[in-house]
Amino acid sequence: QVQLVESGGGLVQAGGSLRLSCAASGRTFSNYALGWFRQAPGKERAFVAAIVWSGGSTYIADSVKGRFTISRDNAKNTLYLQMNSLKPEDTAVYYCAADVHARSLHTFTYYADSRWYDYWGQGTQVTVSS
């Protein structure tokens, strides 16, 4: 089993920055892919970014590309999402997720599909005020 514990959400003004963290435990990450998704009230859960744990390849949604950066700390088994130039439309509950079956490199479409992820964090609220 994999446990994911998120932190770093909060209230920030438009144009500001936040860094979300997701600490993972229970498994090694050599065969994992980890991602960030977000869900705003009344909207479907949307892909934000993903990273392949072993090689570090990243996939970023067009809506946040250039503003958000996904990264990892292998020694700490921790996933990060650095969010800069935040906009009110970024307001959502942000979830980290782990795909323990990602044994090889897949396409953007694969990593953006929430159905492939096996474990999810509790979510952390990000609110961006205008």
Side-chain angles (χ1 to χ4, degrees), residues 7-113:
S7 61
L11 175 65
V12 65
Q13 294 180 344
S17 299
L18 285 173
R19 189 182 74 165
L20 305 183
S21 299
C22 178
S25 62
R27 295 279 188 88
T28 61
F29 278 65
S30 60
N31 296 317
Y32 283 35
L34 278 83
W36 290 98
F37 292 78
R38 65 186 183 183
Q39 187 167 24
K43 297 183 179 179
E44 294 185 345
R45 187 169 296 184
F47 173 74
V48 178
I51 186 168
V52 179
W53 202 256
S54 296
S57 298
T58 59
Y59 302 84
I60 309 295
D62 288 341
S63 59
V64 302
K65 191 173 185 178
R67 299 188 297 119
F68 291 11
T69 303
I70 188 170
S71 62
R72 74 204 195 281
D73 186 328
N74 291 345
K76 297 181 179 180
N77 286 332
T78 300
L79 177 72
Y80 301 100
L81 183 68
Q82 179 66 45
M83 305 185 294
N84 299 324
S85 301
L86 283 162
K87 305 174 181 179
E89 51 263 44
D90 295 318
T91 296
V93 177
Y94 284 70
Y95 300 90
C96 64
D99 176 3
V100 300
H101 299 103
R103 301 287 184 176
S104 60
L105 185 64
H106 298 285
T107 65
F108 178 92
T109 300
Y110 174 89
Y111 292 110
D113 190 340

